[in-house]
Structure formats: structure tokens, C-alpha cells
């Protein structure tokens, strides 16, 4: 049964007011809380029992799967291995995410290892939100890993967000992009206080005319720190772009380390990075419209992370 | 005595038709070929005898030092440690460079380790050109290292160029930039055939209001390869920009790996990189003006490296 806290967490990570429509799998404190399959989308526990397999039939259109995780048990460090098989020519949305509610002083953590097999011509939008709330003093740890294998002419859009409250995050994204396929990754991470987040991205443009655009947006408040790594390797005629923007507030620190490896003569790789405080003229403009300093800063941060 | 080949090399690396005006030190095949000092610029062999110390008096204005190196002895691998002391408030130009003429099948190499102590308020322009010529089949190896220590309110402009013919290069630039000081580095490297060049840059923005702009321009022809690394560390309120552009021709490969480390909340670091072939529309434009394909490519490359 979902209690009031669970419902709050579900709302935050998956924008759900109750049980979702269509296929879903809700995991709470390491156990299955509810599951629904559809005619085209099957969900079953994997052989080892340490995760689920989401199997989407070829040609499935305009369907969605929700697989949120709720963690509210002090001391629990949940690890889950999920596999998504996204059938040829399908067009689906997957909403994942993990919400931690910490009520005590023991740490809580979740590591979700998500593997995507995206078949030829398939199109998938993957939305993953991470948040931690609660009055407890225990550390909240979230370590998501996504491994993406794209066949030909597939499209994947990954929206990866860590909204706040997470004390430690080790984020890993790996992808191999086949011929004619396009991968868009947008990662937004906000840290504050003494929090730290690390994001490691290992992306290979493997097939002819493969494309990727990797966008990282970081807001680093308090004394928090964020490190962002991308290793973008081009092995074919391809196009890849990386864009890293970090706003440093208070005493935040940031390291941004992209590697562009053009191992094919027809590779085209570009990168832009910008690390710094909020531009003063932006602040002044908003304050001249009647916002006070904090409101103006908040408005800019919200816009930046949207 | 300088022979016809030496003179050709001197012309290429230091734009000299004969002996330079002002202070100079010419090194040929590991030995002193000629030296001249001025009232304000002293040059002497260091204690160990493995290099020279160029001592520029405080307040020296509009003077220059030429310290070219010529290498034409098969099998010789020359290593030299030079120290530049650039006195307070001076404003000078230093022209270095190494030319290899290879006539046989034994390899030839030069490693120049140059240390710059740039005192408060000094301004220096350092021009270093590397080239290798000759009909011999021996490998031509050039490994330049520059170590720059800048006090407060100093300015340094480093123009580092490897024009062509160099089979292997391991280039290293290290710099520590003091308060109010500005370091501009422009590195231009052209490789072809089976050549390889690696450039490692370790730059620290150490003082308040220190600034740096690091520009890398690479042209990678044939089956050559170039790797470019920058480690830009910001430890103060400062501004740093890195710009890496690589043109890949034929089967060239390139790896560009900048690290932006904002370790101070008032650091502002930005980066732009672009790796790829020459844009087709640029070529078309020049060809529509009457150039043939090769001429158009050459025109673009020359403009890019200028």
C-alpha cells in the first residue's frame, strides 16, 4: 500500500497522482509494490530476481511505461538491474525515477542499472528523475547507470534529472549508437550543502551517420561539488556535440572534462563549455522588473534547468 | 660557420637572413655557434653546461633575443635547458625555434626545456617555430617544453608553431599565472604522412584576476594523428578560455581532451572545440572564385594556421 509519503515521492519523480495508466512497475523498499502489463508491453521479473525485463513489442506506438522506485526504509541500499527491449519501429515513453524519503539517521541508497536495447527504427523517450526528501540526517545516495545499445535508424531521447536532496551520486551513462541513429541526452543536476555528484559518460558513435547531442546543466550551490566527464568516441562518419554549462553559486566547485576522440576522418565533433556564476546583467534585468535578489536567482536557475 | 642549409633553416625558424640584431645565441648540433649580449640582456651558459640563462634587466624595453637551434647531424639527440629571467617592468620579444635538417637515415632530435620567470609587470612575446626538412629518411623528433611562472600583472604571449616535417613531437606547456597576469598561448601544429604530435598543457590560474586564453589549431593530413590535452585549473577569481580547432584531412585522427577545473567559486572557465573536415561551402566559395580544389584547400589551411 502507498502511504502519503509514497504518494508525495511518486508525484515528484514520476508526476503521478495515483497509479499510472498503461504498463507500470512500482518498487518500494526493494520489493514489488504493483505491476500492470499491457497487450504490447510485458514486464516480468528477471531470472536472477534482481530486476525486471520490460519487453516492448515491435511496432508499439504511443504507449508508456512507468517504473518508479520509492525508498523510505532506513539503512536500505537497494540495487536493481532492469532491461528494456524496445521493439523494431516502436514509439514509446518510459518514465523512471527514484525518490528517497529519509526519516532517520541511517543512510539510504538506490542503484538502478538500466540497459536499453533499442531495435532498428525504434523511438524512445526516457525520463528519469531523482530526488531525496525527508527530515532525517542519513545520507541519501543515488547511483543510476544507463547502458544504451542502439541499432540502425533508432532515436532515443534521455532526460536525466537530479532535482535535489541527493547527498552522493555516481551517475554513469554508456551508449553505442548504430548507423543513422540519434541519441539525445540532457542531464540536469542540482547540488547544494556538502553534496557531491559525479557524472561519467562513455558514448560511442559507432555507425555511419550516427548522431548525438549531449547536454549537461549543473547548478552547484552551497559547498557542493560536481564533476562531469564525457568520453565521446567517433568511429564512423558521424556528428557529435557536447554542451556543458555549470552555474556556480556560493562556494560550489566544478570539474568538466570532455574528451573528443575523432578516430574516423569523417567524424565531426564539437564542444562548448561554460562554467561560472550567474551573469550580473541577467540578475539586474530581473531585479529591475521587481524581483528581489533571491527571486531573480531562483528564476534564472529554474530557467536554466528546465 | 653557417652553411647554406643552416641559413635556410635559420630563415625558416627565426625569419633571419643572417645574424640577428641585438642579443642572440645560436646553437648548432649541440654546440654554441655564436652569441651576442646587449647592455640589458645577458646570456651565459648555465652551471651544468647543459643550457643557457637569458637574463633581462628590469625595465628593458623594445629589445629582442634570438635563440635558434639548428640540427643537421645524423644520430644526434640534443637536449637543452634554457632559463629566461624577464625583469620587472620589461617589454621584450624572444624568438626561439628549432630546425632539423635530416640528410641520412639516422634519426635526429631536439628537446628544448624552456623555463620562464616573468617578473611583476613584465611583458614578453615568445615566438617558437619548429620545422624539419631534408631528404633523409631518419625520424625527426622535436619535444619542446615550456614552463612559465608569472608574478603579478605580467603579460605573456606565446606563439608556438610546428610548421611541418616533424615525425614525432611531444609538446608540453606548463604555466602558473599570478594575480592580474595574462597568458595567451596559441599553438599551431601541422602533421602529415605517419607523423604524430601530442600536446599537453597544464595551466593554473593561481592569482586573483589572472586570465588565460589558450588557442589550439591543428591540421591533420595523411595518416597522421594529433592529441591535444589541456588541464586548466582555476584556484582564484579568474577567467580562462580554451579554443581547440582541428581540421582533419585524408585519414588523420584527432583527440581533444580539455579539463576545466573550477576550484574557486569566482572562477569563470569556458571552452569551445571543433573537429572536422573543411566545410564544403568554404571550398565551393573559393573554387567559384577560380581556384582549383587543391589551391582552395591550401588557402583555407594557411588562413586557419595564420
Amino acid at each position: 500500500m502507498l502511504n502519503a509519503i509514497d504518494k508525495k515521492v511518486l508525484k515528484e519523480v514520476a508526476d503521478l497522482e495515483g497509479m499510472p495508466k498503461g504498463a507500470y512497475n512500482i518498487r518500494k523498499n526493494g520489493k514489488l509494490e504493483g505491476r500492470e502489463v499491457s497487450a504490447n508491453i510485458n514486464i516480468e521479473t528477471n531470472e536472477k530476481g534482481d530486476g525486471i525485463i520490460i519487453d516492448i513489442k515491435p511496432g508499439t506506438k504511443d504507449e508508456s511505461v512507468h517504473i518508479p522506485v520509492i525508498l523510505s526504509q532506513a539503512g536500505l541500499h537497494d540495487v536493481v538491474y532492469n532491461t528494456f527491449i524496445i521493439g523494431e519501429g516502436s514509439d514509446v515513453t518510459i518514465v523512471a525515477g527514484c525518490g528517497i524519503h529519509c526519516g532517520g539517521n541511517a543512510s539510504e541508497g538506490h542503484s538502478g542499472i538500466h540497459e536499453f536495447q533499442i531495435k532498428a527504427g525504434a523511438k524512445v523517450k526516457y525520463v528519469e528523475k531523482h530526488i531525496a526528501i525527508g527530515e532525517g540526517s542519513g545520507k541519501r545516495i543515488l547511483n543510476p547507470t544507463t547502458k544504451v545499445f542502439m541499432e540502425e535508424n533508432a532515436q532515443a531521447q534521455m532526460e536525466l534529472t537530479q532535482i535535489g536532496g541527493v547527498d552522493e551520486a555516481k551517475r554513469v551513462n554508456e551508449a553505442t549508437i548504430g548507423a543513422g541513429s540519434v541519441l539525445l541526452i540532457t542531464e540536469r543536476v542540482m547540488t547544494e550543502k556538502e553534496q557531491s555528484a559525479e557524472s561519467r559518460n562513455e558514448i560511442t558513435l559507432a555507425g555511419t551517420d550516427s548522431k548525438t547531442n549531449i547536454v549537461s546543466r549543473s547548478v552547484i550551490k552551497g559547498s557542493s561539488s560536481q564533476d562531469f566527464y564525457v568520453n565521446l568516441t567517433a568511429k564512423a562518419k558521424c556528428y557529435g556535440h557536447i554542451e556543458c554549462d555549470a552555474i556556480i553559486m556560493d562556494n560550489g566547485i566544478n570539474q568538466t572534462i570532455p574528451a573528443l576522440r575523432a578516430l574516423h576522418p569523417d567524424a565531426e565533433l564539437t564542444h562548448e563549455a561554460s562554467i561560472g556564476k550567474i551573469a550580473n546583467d541577467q540578475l539586474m534585468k530581473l531585479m529591475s522588473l521587481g524581483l528581489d535578489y533571491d527571486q531573480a536567482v531562483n528564476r534564472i536557475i529554474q530557467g536554466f534547468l528546465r
Side-chain angles (χ1 to χ4, degrees), chain A:
Chain A
M1 278 296 294
L2 297 176
N3 59 30
I5 287 173
D6 297 339
K7 285 178 182 166
K8 188 176 171 195
V9 169
L10 266 191
K11 170 76 181 140
E12 287 282 1
V13 299
D15 205 20
L16 291 172
E17 297 287 355
M19 289 303 177
K21 282 181 187 147
Y24 66 83
N25 189 93
I26 300 177
R27 183 180 175 94
K28 181 182 166 186
N29 294 329
K31 297 197 184 73
L32 179 64
E33 178 72 28
R35 178 182 293 172
E36 193 68 54
V37 301
S38 78
N40 293 318
I41 301 178
N42 190 44
I43 301 177
E44 54 185 39
T45 302
N46 65 15
E47 264 189 34
K48 275 189 161 177
D50 60 3
I52 54 177
I53 299 172
I54 296 101
D55 198 341
I56 298 169
K57 276 193 190 161
T60 302
K61 301 270 182 196
D62 301 322
E63 288 201 40
S64 65
V65 198
H66 285 76
I67 55 154
V69 170
I70 303 165
L71 209 72
S72 56
Q73 182 183 323
L76 182 65
H77 287 260
D78 187 25
V79 181
V80 66
Y81 296 84
N82 296 337
T83 302
F84 302 81
I85 301 161
I86 299 157
E88 252 184 69
S90 57
D91 183 351
V92 293
T93 299
I94 299 166
V95 180
C98 179
I100 290 182
H101 182 276
C102 182
N105 57 16
S107 69
E108 293 178 27
H110 179 72
S111 299
I113 296 94
H114 286 183
E115 183 180 314
F116 296 82
Q117 300 170 17
I118 306 177
K119 304 297 182 187
K123 195 174 164 186
V124 61
K125 180 176 180 178
Y126 176 70
V127 181
E128 181 189 272
K129 269 191 203 172
H130 282 172
I131 191 167
I133 54 175
E135 296 307 309
S137 62
K139 268 201 194 292
R140 306 102 200 262
I141 301 162
L142 280 169
N143 299 331
T145 294
T146 62
K147 299 182 184 194
V148 180
F149 302 92
M150 299 181 79
E151 291 185 356
E152 313 80 49
N153 303 314
Q155 292 177 44
Q157 181 183 349
M158 324 277 293
E159 304 269 346
L160 312 170
T161 310
Q162 180 180 311
I163 311 173
V166 180
D167 292 304
E168 280 178 29
K170 285 199 192 299
R171 308 174 62 86
V172 175
N173 298 307
E174 296 173 6
T176 303
I177 309 172
S181 285
V182 181
L183 173 65
L184 310 175
I185 298 179
T186 305
E187 188 178 67
R188 300 175 179 91
V189 177
M190 208 261 281
T191 50
E192 57 189 339
K193 296 171 190 161
E194 306 291 325
Q195 298 169 358
S196 67
E198 178 188 287
S199 173
R200 291 191 177 266
N201 299 270
E202 191 75 42
I203 313 293
T204 302
L205 289 152
T208 303
D209 291 324
S210 53
K211 289 189 183 69
T212 189
N213 189 16
I214 300 160
V215 177
S216 160
R217 302 233 154 178
S218 302
V219 174
I220 306 148
K221 298 183 184 179
S223 298
S224 69
S225 73
Q226 290 191 33
D227 292 348
F228 183 80
Y229 301 85
V230 189
N231 203 352
L232 179 58
T233 304
K235 295 188 172 173
K237 175 176 182 292
C238 63
Y239 176 75
H241 181 64
I242 309 171
E243 203 181 303
C244 310
D245 289 296
I247 291 183
I248 296 181
M249 301 178 69
D250 314 316
N251 293 303
I253 65 174
N254 174 255
Q255 300 193 85
T256 296
I257 303 166
L260 283 71
R261 304 184 192 273
L263 306 185
H264 189 283
D266 293 310
E268 198 181 334
L269 302 179
T270 54
H271 174 249
E272 285 173 79
S274 173
I275 304 171
K277 293 229 183 272
I278 293 174
N280 246 326
D281 53 347
Q282 267 191 291
L283 278 176
M284 297 299 269
K285 193 175 167 189
L286 287 173
M287 288 168 77
S288 76
L289 296 172
L291 274 62
D292 68 24
Y293 180 82
D294 287 345
Q295 288 171 329
V297 167
N298 262 330
R299 182 72 61 86
I300 292 167
I301 298 293
Q302 292 313 317
F304 179 75
L305 289 177
R306 185 157 302 136

